[in-house]
Amino acid sequence: MKSSKTICLSQSALIAALYAAATYLSAVFGIAYGGIQFRISEALMIFSVFSPAAVPGLTVGCILGNISSPMGIWDVIFGSLATLLSSLAARKMRNIKIRSLPLFSILMPVIFNSLIIGAELTMLIPDSKSGITLFIINSLEVMAGELTVCLAGGIPIYYALKKTNIFKRI
């Protein structure tokens, strides 16, 4: 019989690999980094609802995915921080549901990424606009992409995982 630590580590590693691969796939299409980003990997944030192993898995996957970011080490640090905080918050809110959907969990990456990545972009990309105006613009751009991916990808993944009960079987 497999130990629960082995199962947790295996789940984390698989989630990290999926997240990193999906980020690199998004990068191939030029939509993984920058202001408006549509990272396919962000739809996987819903895994936090199903398993505590998702928190380290998503964070490590983000670190690996951000290694090739044009923002360099800053994206590794701030992007991974946003992923860690949003996956922790999503995990904590997993039982708060609206019409059987953990909507607050789905929205955590939208909130954390818009604020943290919005601030990162404001600090790293020079612009003629004032600081607060640029931060608001950057945050709204990140929010738009994140909201699209988390809703359009995260909700179907949630229902598919709920139906198959895959995390309970492993």
Side-chain angles (χ1 to χ4, degrees):
M1 182 162 190
K2 296 177 186 172
S3 77
S4 61
K5 287 182 182 180
T6 303
I7 291 170
C8 187
L9 183 61
S10 299
Q11 282 182 354
S12 289
L14 180 60
I15 291 168
L18 286 171
Y19 187 100
T23 299
Y24 290 133
L25 179 62
S26 299
V28 167
F29 296 103
I31 56 173
Y33 310 107
I36 299 178
Q37 46 185 267
F38 295 96
R39 282 189 181 192
I40 300 163
S41 50
E42 288 297 304
L44 303 179
M45 294 297 292
I46 196 65
F47 288 175
S48 297
V49 170
F50 295 97
S51 173
V55 174
L58 293 164
T59 304
V60 170
C62 186
I63 291 168
L64 296 172
N66 283 345
I67 287 173
S68 66
S69 170
M71 300 297 158
I73 190 67
W74 298 111
D75 214 13
V76 172
I77 294 167
F78 291 115
S80 303
L81 176 65
T83 297
L84 174 62
L85 294 175
S86 60
S87 61
L88 285 169
R91 180 82 187 143
K92 286 281 188 198
M93 300 180 120
R94 70 187 181 278
N95 294 321
I96 304 170
K97 297 181 179 176
I98 299 173
R99 296 189 176 195
S100 77
L101 182 68
L103 190 59
F104 293 109
S105 291
I106 292 170
L107 293 177
M108 290 300 102
V110 177
I111 293 166
F112 282 98
N113 278 291
S114 66
L115 295 173
I116 295 171
I117 304 306
E120 174 192 351
L121 294 171
T122 301
M123 290 185 302
L124 296 177
I125 300 173
D127 198 288
S128 60
K129 296 175 187 67
S130 71
I132 191 70
T133 303
L134 184 58
F135 170 72
I136 291 169
I137 291 168
N138 287 332
S139 292
L140 290 174
E141 287 178 346
V142 171
M143 182 184 289
E146 193 76 21
L147 186 62
T148 301
V149 172
C150 287
L151 293 178
I155 291 173
I157 291 172
Y158 170 76
Y159 284 119
L161 292 174
K162 186 177 172 186
K163 184 177 181 178
T164 61
N165 222 4
I166 190 98
F167 279 102
K168 295 222 191 281
R169 283 196 247 155
I170 298 175

